[in-house]
Each structure stands twice: as structure tokens, then as C-alpha cells.
Amino acid sequence: MRRLRASRIVLGIIAGLSAGLVNAGLLAVLTGPRAMGVLSGAEEPATGLVIHLILSALSGITYAWLFNPIPDSDAEGLASGLAYGLLWWMILSLNLIPIVLGEGPQWEVEAVASAFPALVGYLFQGAIVGLGYPILYDIVTHWLGPLDEPVEGPQPLAVQHKIVILGGGFAGVTVAQHLERLFAGDESVVMTLISNTNHLLFTPMLSEVTAGGVEAQHISTPLRAFFRWTQVIRGEAKAVDFERRVVKLEVNGPASHAEVSFDHLVLGVGAVTNFFGLPGAEAHAFTFKSLEDANLLRNHVIEMLERADAEQDSERRKALVTFVVAGGGFAGAELVGGLNDFVRGSLWFYPNIPPEEVSLILVHSGERIMPELSFDLADYAHERLKGRGVAFKLSTRLANAVPGAVLLSNGETIRTETLVWTAGNMPHPLIRRMGLDGDAGGAVTTDATLRVTGRPNVWAIGDCAAVPDSYTGKRCPPTAQHAVRQAATLAHNIHAVIRGRKTRQFSYRSLGSFAVLGHQTACAEIRGVKFSGLLAWWLWRAIYLVKLPTLEKKVRVTLDWTVDLFFPRDIVQTTTSHRSTRGVEALARVDARR
Amino acid sequence: MSGSDTLRHRMVSGLLAGLLGGWVYGSFGSPHPWFGPAHHLFLNAGIGIGFGLFLGKLVTTAGSGLLWGEAYALIWWIVGPLTFFPFLLGNPPGWTVEAARSAFPMLLGYLVGYGTVLGLVYSYLSALFAGSWRARVLRQLTADFLFAVAIGGVAGLVGGLAFGAWMERVGIFPLIAGLVRSESADVGRTLHFIISVVIGASYGVLFRGDIQGIGSSIAWGLAYGFTWWVLGPLTIMPLWLGLGVQWSLAAGQAAFPSLVGHLIYGTLLGLVYSAVDRLWRVLFVESDPLKREPEGPGTRSLRAVGMGILASLAGGLAFTVVMVKTDALPVVASLIGRSSPTTGFVVHMVISAIIGATYGLLFRREAYTYGAGLAWGLVYGLVWWFLGPLTLMPILLGAEVQWSLASALGAYPSLIGHLAYGSATALAYQLLVMRYDPALRKGSRSVRTHLRRTSGTPAAALWVVVLMLGLMLPLLLTD
Ligand SMILES: Cc1cc2nc3c(=O)[nH]c(=O)nc-3n(C[C@H](O)[C@H](O)[C@H](O)COP(=O)(O)OP(=O)(O)OC[C@H]3O[C@@H](n4cnc5c(N)ncnc54)[C@H](O)[C@@H]3O)c2cc1C
């Protein structure tokens, strides 16, 4: 590489100098001793010649830089050289020389016309450089062998650093993106991303999928679309051997195993639903974390509406159109708002369901929903949801769930066929299995540079990691907002470690939070400033649209939103096979266990 | 076919085409004052054979023949009449603008004889020798060919509309009607549109194999406009009317407004032709999932726009130097009815961002080296000199277009400014592109094919023709 650059420079100088000499010679013959002054602005011919030759050598080097790879034919070399000569003339004769002489740029037509002799001279000079440089280049490569690295054929890869990223969520994808940029073109670094889903799900819009406002595919981007060099493996990490530095995977189902070795390992496996040991809930509740969850729930809700429409018995019908969401955090509140819109908005299609029989219930253990928000915003959210028909069971826990009903901690029983569980998350159990230092909740602890305690080449971020928050002193909240910022710092730090530079500490002050509560209603708190209603809703849409990865998906979601403005909700069922009623499903499970 | 065969074919085609081109030049133009008829024969034969040997390989289509021919003619004009002829004969030096002016008739003659005729005839002769003549004729009668003729015609009509608007205003149509011995403006107008459509269709026929992106197509159109300025009002039309060719400096000066008209015509022709062509490709060819690129055109184009805007900062600032020097900022401000230089600067930067964005969009994949990028940037700067200060700006300010020689000469500093703008923008754009795709920097082949290669097309010839004429013609035409 270095030899290559040096020889280019030398060849450029030779070509430039010879062309400069020809130009000076011709001009001297044609216009007499004034020529050197024309070319360099210097009074003294000898000084002029030296300046001119230095500039010419420079022009040769620049030509070599500009036209690399060299033109394919001599004629193209000549022609590009002529164009180059014109440019060089404009730069020198119309600008640099007059500026140095204190006359300022000479762009008026008379001044340019008087620089005509130099124009012809530089055309010659450019032509000779354009013709000569490629010829010299060919001669030299003929004698010395190719200057370029061999372009075709497999190249021996000197891989020195293998970075493996576990998890294709916000954390993992963002790390890989930053690393690609930092290590661009460096073939000694190989990045591999392992994920058991093949897409990145944009969770903030998940409730809109259930509510039918946005297509499921439109809020998720294939992992393979993000990267240019990073290798993507769709597989489930089962264990990590820190001694041998390998990740053990299941690639195509439980039967096929694989191992991927690493020098640096990034853990970003996120969180899973935590049922707090409520077996009934685990067996009967819908979860709400993945695209599949959102799709299943949506199909199930439509199934309930269809059945209710055909149901004669009012009690049973009521149970079919009662929807219970457990957990009043952001996810639960957003979901119940979206579901409420969807169910009530679709009743128009189902004339046999009396609207007053429909109920959506949010069960929450705290005194107010969305504890992350300040009191008055949470209150606002509560009032708005209530106004739109959502019922609340506050300071109440789910005690159990059985087919066809849920039991609450206050002794109440609600007959329903639909329970969605958003009441708890915990770091992915894989973390615990690895035996790394963790906090009480099971998240792996890291230092401020995002290194896992006691493991210099293992890093962790996102929902599965307990990263110290430099502002609150506590653990960073498990949000995408934090995950992507952590990812940027993490990528910087891995790059720094490999390149032997200084690492950086993670520090990020939360911007605030947003919750969308259904039709044109949202509430937000950004750096202490509170918004609610339509303005917040617009902000929500604008900000999340910007954050949604890839332009294509932005366009698709925008279209979905636009269509949604003008047409009714879509109630097409895309699958009826799963969980059409929980009773049937539960029996099937019991059978399977036996 | 063996190598020596092709070499012989090239020499023979070159010889014949050279003799024919030389005959055209000799019978209409002012003969070289220094040579007798025998010298002439030798000169023409040599020029023709030289073309075949040096450039023959690159002439793969009639369009490439035309452009390489013109570039070749320009080079000879500089080497011959400007440099060696006077030198050999001990005459005063030829590198002054006065000498170049007196060699103006020869410039046009060279462009017609040793350029257009030589290049076009060569391309057909070499095809004939290579035995591909019949295949070519047959191939030409395909849907592809008809499509090129049709959109060429449409594009020609659009260009003709713009050019015609000016003709209408200055009342040139009756003059054109004179071609068919009439004086009616309607006849002239009809004739003008017929000619526009025919030239447009011929553009499609000549260049359809070379046109890849919209940007280069605009440049092709510009060169084609130049060609027809020389061929039309200065050569064929006066010949038709029995006046003999009009290759004198005075005739060139008088026909300057029509030159700008031809260039605007050519720009629109190239733009519309390739835009329709692209649209067709995007809708019916590249939409095929098997041929589709991984990123759809939407993502690519928007990124190109973004990079173009960013790159235009460099160009816009470079241009500001001359704006300040020539007090042009208040004029720019008057576009939005203001007069302060600061407002002018802002308006100027906005315009420059818009033009930068179009550069990104139009020249997205034309260049794979910094040098090629620079050359395209210069060409695009030139286009905007004709389009901007001479045409659009006066129209936006509610005045007539400024196509007269006097106003063009007055706007010459702005030409240099536009060229500076174009080159700086293009260079910055290329740097951004290479940065976005570092593999490009290493020149790895797989990635390079990803960018369109302009080699294999007469792009380099185009740069020479367009840039040399663009920069030199105003200088030559001054009094
Ligand atoms: C409904 C909902 C709404 C939300 N709204 C917001 C919001 O508005 N704003 C906000 O900031 N945050 C929001 N969040 C939180 C946000 O989604 C998470 O904080 C964020 O996804 C965490 O990113 P992560 O990469 O750590 O984990 P995840 O995004 O969960 O990604 C983990 C990845 O690891 C993969 N994985 C797991 N186990 C394995 C394994 N064994 N092998 C291989 N791969 C594995 C998974 O497939 C997944 O791709 C919301 C979450 C939900 C569920």
C-alpha cells in the first residue's frame, strides 16, 4: 500500500515536471522571455521557471490522485488531461497568480482573454500529463509488477479481532452499526451479530399494530438490511464458554448446534416477560413483546368480536368482549388505549354487539398508572382513557387466571377470554445462566465503560444490563432510548480498546418519556416540560417516525397512518389457528404435558 | 478476426473518413493558407488514419464517433492552426487570443469536417468493415430503437418549445420559413418544431447506447446543441439558402443568442430523454426483483440529495468570493424582493443547495474517480451559467432572457464562478461518496461496478468538447 502510494507520487511528479517543461518551452518559443512571468507571476525568469516547475510537479501528483484508477485508454487519458489543464489554468492564471500579485481574482472577460496564451499552454501541459502519467504507470507496472493489490481472487484474511454481538434489538443493532462505521474498511476486524429473531422490532409502535393502525411488517426491519460487513446469524445463544471464548448456539432448532468464537463479546439479549410465578397467567395470558405477540393478540381480538357477534347469550357475549390488560406501565397503558380504539372503532362492523357490553380493563398494582410520569400527566392519562371507555382496577393485583376468567387480589372475578400480561419484565435468563456478576433482578452489572464486572472482553448494554446512571446513581431504566446511547459508547470503547486509545464513560441524561393513549391523545414529559393531548400526539408521531429505522419503513408507516385517517380499521384475520379460545388452548396444553 | 485485421480496418476507415471530412472542410471552409492541394490530401489522410489508430477502438457507436471526432478536431485546431502551422511558417505566435480569433473560421471548419463528418463517417465505415453493418441495421429496427426515436422526438419537442419561445419573441420564425421560400411565421414555427423533433429523435439514435444517467445525458445534450449550432444556422441553413457557409467570426458573433438557444434546447433534450428513459427503467426493468438493487431507488436518491446539499456548501462558498467581488449579492437578493447583501448571501446559498441537490441526484453514479467527478462538476457548472444568469434569473426578475453576446460577456465572471462552484461541489460530493463507501476508495472491483463507469462511453471526449467550447467561445467572440 505504501509502496503503491509512493510510486504514484513519484510517477505523478515525473509526468508533471515533463509536462511543465514542454509547456514552458513552447510558451517561451511562442511568446518570448515573458513566458515565465505568464506562468508563475515572477519577474525573474529563473525564479519563474522554478516556481512553475514546482507547481507542475504538484499538478502531476494531483492528477495521480484525481484519476485513480487510471483511465482505460490513452485517448481518455489525453481528454481527461485536457479538462484537467483547463481547471489548472483557471486555478493558477485566473486566481492564484493574480492574487499573489495583489490584483485579486481575474474573472472579467478582458482579463481572461489576456490569459489566453497560458490557457493554450496549460492545455498542452494537461494533455501531456494525461497521456504521460498512464503510460509511465503502465511501464512501471510492467517492470515492477502490479502496484495495486490483486483485486480478484480470494485474499488471505488476516483476522485479528472477532467481535460477537448477542441480540438483535436496539442495543445489538446500534452497536454493530457504530462498529461498522468505526472500523470501516478494516478487514482485520470481523463482526458477527447473533439473534433469534431476524428483525429489529420498533417496540414503541407495537401497540399500533395490535390496534390495526400500522402493518406489523412496517415497524420491523430485517437485521440483514442494516449492515454491509457484519455477518448476521439467526440462532439462539444457549451458553458462553468464557475460557475458550466461544458462544454456543442452536441454529436450526434444538438439534443443530454451532459455536462462534470471539475476542470481544457484547451482550444485548434484552428482557423477557416475568410472570412472578403466577402459573395461571403464564398459561393463559398473552404477552406483549414481539411482533408475533402483537399479531396473535390482534387476530384473537377479531376472533372474539366475530364470536360475540354470533353469540345469543348476553353473559357469554359480555365475556367475549371483555379485555383485561394486567400492568399499568407504559406498555400496558399504550396497549389498552390502542385496543380500546380498535375494539370500539370496529363495532360498526358488528351490529349484534351492544356497545355497552364491551369493556376494557386495566389492572394495575400501583395507585396510579404510569409511575414513570409525573403525577398530573399520569392523572391526565387516566382521565383520558377513562373518558374513552377504559375501566381501571388500581391498587389491585392479578391473583390467578383460569380459562374463561381472571381473579383479582381484591377477590373479584372477571369473566373474560382475553388477558394480556405487561406487568413484569426481567433480564433474559441466559444472563443468569452465564454466571456473571448480576444485580438482584438478574441483570448483569457493568462499570461506567459498559464492561461486565470482572470480564475485560465482555460488554453488556440494554435491558439485560445494569448500567450505572451517572445522573441518578441508580441503574439506567430499561428503555430503547438508553439502549441506543449505551450502544454508541460501547462501540466507541471497543474501538478504543482495539486501537489502544482511551475509553469513555457512559453518561446520558434521559430526554423524558412519551406515551400514546389512543386516537390523537398522548402525554409527554421532555426534560421536565409537560405536553399532553394533540400536540403531544403529533410530537410523538414526528419523533418516533424519525427514529424508526430505514427510510422505507418510515414511508410505509406514514402511508399506513394516512390511510388510517380516511378508511375504517382493517379487521382481516390473518390466522385463526392459534388461541382462538383460551379454553380449547388450555386443554390442548394439558394434553401435551401428559 | 485477427488483431492486424482490425488495425487495418481502422486505418482504412480512418483514411476514407478523413478524406471525406477533409473534402468537406476544403470545399466550404477557408483552405489552410499555407498548403497546396497535395499537401492537403496528405494532411487529410494523416488526420483520418490518426483518428482510426488513436481513437478507433473507442468509437463503438455513432454517438461516440461524433464526440470523439469533435474532441479530435479541437485538439487539432490547437495543435495545428494555433501552434505548429504558424510556427513552421515562421509566422507570429499563435497563442494569443487575437490569433485564435482569426483562426475562428478554421475552428468551425475543423469541427464540421474533422469532427462531425470524420467521426460519424468513421463510425459507420468501421462497423461496415467489421461486418456488423447488417447486424446493426437489423438490431436498429427493434423496439429499443423505436423507443429511443420516440422519446428522443418528445424530448426534442420539449427543447424546441423553450427555444421556440425565444424565437417567437425575437421574430425569427419568418426567417426560418425562408428555408422553404415562405415568409409566414406559422410555416417557420412548424418547420422549427419539425426540426426540433427530428434532431431530438436523432439524439436518441446516436446516444442511446451511451446514455446512463441523467447528468451525463444533459452533458451529451449540451454537446449536441453545440454541434447543431455549428451545423444548423452557420452551415446547413446558409448553404441551403445559397449563401455559402457562415464560419466567419462576425457570423459567429451575430449567432451568439442562437447558440444559447441551442444549448438550452440541448440541455432540455438530454434531460427529458434520459428522465423518460430512467423512469422506464425504474418502472419496468429495475423493478424486476431479480435485477433490483438491494437498496431501492428511493433510499439511494435521497442519500444522493443529502450529500449533494452538503457538498454544495463547498461550492457555494467558493462562488461567494466572486459574488462579493462583483457586487452580485444584492442582485440575487432582489430575487425575493430584497436588496441587502446578507439576504443575497442566504438566497445564494439556498440556490446553491438546490443545485447541489440536483447535482447529487443527476450525477449520482457518473463518476468513480475524483477526476471524473471534477469534470462532471465543471460541465454542470457550465450548464447552470446558461440556465441561471442568462436565462432563469432574468425571467424570474421579470425581464427578457439575456442571450445576447454583450450580456454573456458581461456575465463572464459569473461563468468562472459557476465553474468554480461546480468543481468544488463535485469534488466535495465525491469525497462524501467515497467516505460513505470506503471500499470504493480501495477501488475494489465489485464495488466499482456498483458505480456506473463512464469509461466505455465517450465521456472524456464530451468533457473536452463542452468545456473547451464553453470557456473559449465567449473569449473568441469578444471584439
Ligand atoms: C410494547 C413496548 C413498548 C415500548 N416502548 C418504548 C418507548 O416508547 N420508548 C423506549 O425508549 N422504550 C420502549 N420500550 C422498551 C424498549 O423496547 C427496550 O428498552 C429495548 O428494546 C431494549 O433493547 P435491547 O436491545 O436491550 O433488547 P431487545 O430490544 O429486547 O432485544 C433483544 C434481542 O436479543 C435477541 N435474543 C434474546 N435472546 C437471545 C438468545 N438467547 N440468542 C440470540 N438472540 C437473543 C432477541 O431476539 C432480540 O432481538 C418498549 C417496550 C415494549 C415491549
Side-chain angles (χ1 to χ4, degrees), chain A residues 13 15 61 119 183 191 255 279 287 374 410 442 476-477 529 560:
Chain A
I13 292 178
I61 298 174
L119 167 61
F183 286 112
M191 275 124 30
T287 49
S374 59
N410 61 6
C476 287
V529 185
D560 282 349

Side-chain angles (χ1 to χ4, degrees), chain A residues 165-174 193-207 223 233-239 247-250 267-272 288-290 330-332 334-335 422 425 428-430 433-434 461-465 477-486 512-516 540 544:
Chain A
I165 299 160
L166 285 191
F170 283 102
V173 167
T174 317
L193 184 131
I194 299 169
S195 173
N196 59 2
T197 52
N198 89 332
H199 55 262
L200 167 68
L201 172 65
F202 194 69
T203 48
M205 289 185 185
L206 197 60
S207 62
L223 292 177
I233 299 178
R234 212 282 310 270
E236 170 127 9
K238 284 294 178 191
V247 177
K248 297 180 178 167
L249 307 177
E250 262 176 19
L267 302 173
V269 285
V272 296
F288 192 61
K289 284 195 80 68
S290 67
F330 273 99
E334 292 192 348
L335 175 65
T422 66
N425 284 320
H428 199 288
L430 176 68
R433 286 207 299 273
M434 286 183 201
I461 50 172
D463 285 7
C464 71
T479 67
Q481 204 185 121
H482 283 81
V484 298
R485 269 74 181 197
Q486 290 165 356
S513 29
F514 257 120
V516 58
W540 183 90
Y544 280 100

